[in-house]
Amino acid sequence: MFNYRKLLAFAALPLCLTMGTTVLAQGKYPGIGRDATPKEVSAWDIDVRPDFKGLPKGSGSVSQGQDLWETRCAQCHGFFGESGEVFNPLVGGVSKEDIATGRVAKLTDPAYPGRTTFMKVATLSTIWDYINRAMPWTSPKSLQPDEVYAVTAFLLNLNGVVPDNFTLSDKNIAEVQKKMPNRNGMTTVHALWPGKEHGGTAKPDTRNWACMSNCTAEAKVTSLLPDHARNAHGNLAEQNRLVGAQHGADTSKPEGVVGKQLSAAPTATAAPKVSGPGNEAKAAIALLNKHACTACHGIDKKIVGPAYTDVAKKYPDKADYLTKKIKEGGSGVWGAIPMPPQGLSEADAGAIARWLAAGAPR
């Protein structure tokens, strides 16, 4: 019998790929997993292209964006997008002439001290898409489309691209793109761009090749840092930049010896063991994992923020104060890197605060 279902699935393949929906698998991996549902795919299919395909409908004003900025963004990026010593500035370095020409003159001025986001970025879709996907830092994807439009409008206003009474929307964003200060500054003449047909180069950006035969079965270590030299220049882990994935090796200990630290992954095995009647401690540690607090804080080791044991020593019996700090965030007490306001419930924040105020027991 002729299988019309397979024929229809095959005929619909190009359309499905174009629209970002799923195509039913034809048993390529039987018994392994399942096809993603259209709803699951749509949750990830949120990218916005430079031609604004994929942009959701919505709108937001400069004044609405300012209110959102002060409550959700200023903690890390400053009230006027100037940032601080940790995050790069978003605003500044552009002029009315740059908006008219589409090329930021200060990018080629060696005397200018820095490069802000709006000096470099050529496409407004990049700004909108990144805010939508990654911000705020502690709760990405939590902003609604209208809120993203509003925050983007506020940033455009700070850079002098739109007036104070402007409302950005999916209907006028393409017109605003024509005013981006560095819209004509993008270059494609480099090896990272795909080929000469786009004005780039055919030269690959790497010189590596895939090993297809006679591959090495096992890596052979030919050199190790001697134990007597491990800490010759101090603990390298403490000398690395605190933001980012690379924190350096702890050279204060022999190879393979690490300090006690919670994993950022919310797994049952990540929490330290609780002895005796420490149900409160066990519950608090579970909340740390649930809300990804351990991505920035170790139990007894500083990561991005201070160790919980250090916080406990500094604020004994101050549960109310700690609850407020967890909810509202802050900066300056433990260094330059701010802790943004946290979106966990009052009850969860209070449970963590009481655990800290009791000395962070395990």
Side-chain angles (χ1 to χ4, degrees):
M1 179 181 291
F2 189 80
N3 193 329
Y4 286 96
R5 178 175 293 179
K6 288 188 175 181
L7 176 62
L8 290 173
F10 180 79
L13 178 59
L15 179 61
C16 290
L17 293 176
T18 301
M19 297 178 66
T21 57
T22 55
V23 180
L24 294 178
Q26 298 300 313
K28 186 175 182 180
Y29 302 106
I32 300 177
R34 62 170 177 79
D35 295 329
T37 66
K39 185 176 181 179
E40 289 171 333
V41 172
S42 65
W44 287 97
D45 186 22
I46 62 172
D47 62 298
V48 179
R49 299 185 343 188
D51 60 2
F52 300 110
K53 293 289 179 65
L55 186 73
K57 294 182 179 180
S59 64
S61 68
V62 172
S63 60
Q64 291 169 334
Q66 182 175 4
D67 292 339
L68 281 165
W69 184 269
E70 292 177 357
T71 56
R72 306 290 298 276
C73 315
Q75 192 76 22
C76 291
H77 296 292
F79 282 95
F80 301 101
E82 75 280 8
S83 297
E85 58 186 278
V86 178
F87 300 98
N88 291 332
L90 307 177
V91 174
V94 301
S95 65
K96 291 182 179 179
E97 290 74 18
D98 298 334
I99 295 172
T101 62
R103 285 186 178 274
V104 175
K106 285 186 171 63
L107 282 174
T108 58
D109 181 2
Y112 194 74
R115 303 289 184 267
T116 71
T117 297
F118 270 78
M119 286 175 65
K120 298 180 290 185
V121 174
T123 53
L124 185 53
S125 61
T126 302
I127 303 292
W128 200 101
D129 182 70
Y130 187 76
I131 294 172
N132 185 48
R133 287 186 294 107
M135 294 288 112
W137 179 22
T138 52
S139 53
K141 297 184 183 179
S142 63
L143 295 176
Q144 299 301 310
D146 286 350
E147 294 176 316
V148 180
Y149 279 108
V151 171
T152 306
F154 179 63
L155 285 174
L156 288 164
N157 176 256
L158 287 178
N159 284 278
V161 179
V162 300
D164 295 346
N165 61 352
F166 188 78
T167 296
L168 181 68
S169 71
D170 59 296
K171 294 180 174 60
N172 63 14
I173 195 169
E175 290 300 314
V176 180
Q177 169 61 37
K178 298 176 182 178
K179 299 179 181 180
M180 284 292 284
N182 202 41
R183 61 187 178 276
N184 297 323
M186 180 184 288
T187 176
T188 59
V189 186
H190 48 68
L192 295 177
W193 205 260
K196 293 182 177 179
E197 67 273 18
H198 296 290
T201 174
K203 179 183 176 182
D205 59 309
T206 68
R207 297 181 181 275
N208 296 327
W209 61 89
C211 177
M212 303 303 292
S213 61
N214 300 320
C215 302
T216 301
E218 184 177 349
K220 182 180 180 181
V221 178
T222 59
S223 177
L224 289 172
L225 183 66
D227 288 341
H228 68 270
R230 287 189 59 79
N231 213 35
H233 300 283
N235 188 350
L236 297 181
E238 296 176 348
Q239 300 173 38
N240 276 261
R241 188 167 181 257
L242 295 178
V243 175
Q246 304 299 325
H247 296 291
D250 185 351
T251 54
S252 66
K253 301 179 178 66
E255 188 77 29
V257 178
V258 296
K260 296 178 181 178
Q261 180 182 340
L262 274 180
S263 169
T267 59
T269 58
K273 294 181 179 179
V274 180
S275 58
N279 291 332
E280 294 84 359
K282 186 175 182 179
I285 291 171
L287 289 173
L288 297 179
N289 282 321
K290 174 184 176 182
H291 296 293
C293 304
T294 50
C296 293
H297 302 273
I299 291 291
D300 54 10
K301 178 181 178 181
K302 175 181 178 180
I303 305 178
V304 176
Y308 285 120
T309 51
D310 292 336
V311 175
K313 290 176 184 177
K314 188 176 180 69
Y315 301 108
D317 302 319
K318 293 186 178 180
D320 291 342
Y321 171 81
L322 291 170
T323 301
K324 182 178 180 182
K325 293 297 290 185
I326 292 170
K327 290 289 293 179
E328 297 181 358
S331 63
V333 179
W334 298 94
I337 299 178
M339 185 180 82
Q342 303 298 303
L344 71 174
S345 68
E346 192 78 23
D348 286 357
I352 294 172
R354 288 191 295 274
W355 171 72
L356 288 169
R362 285 178 287 174

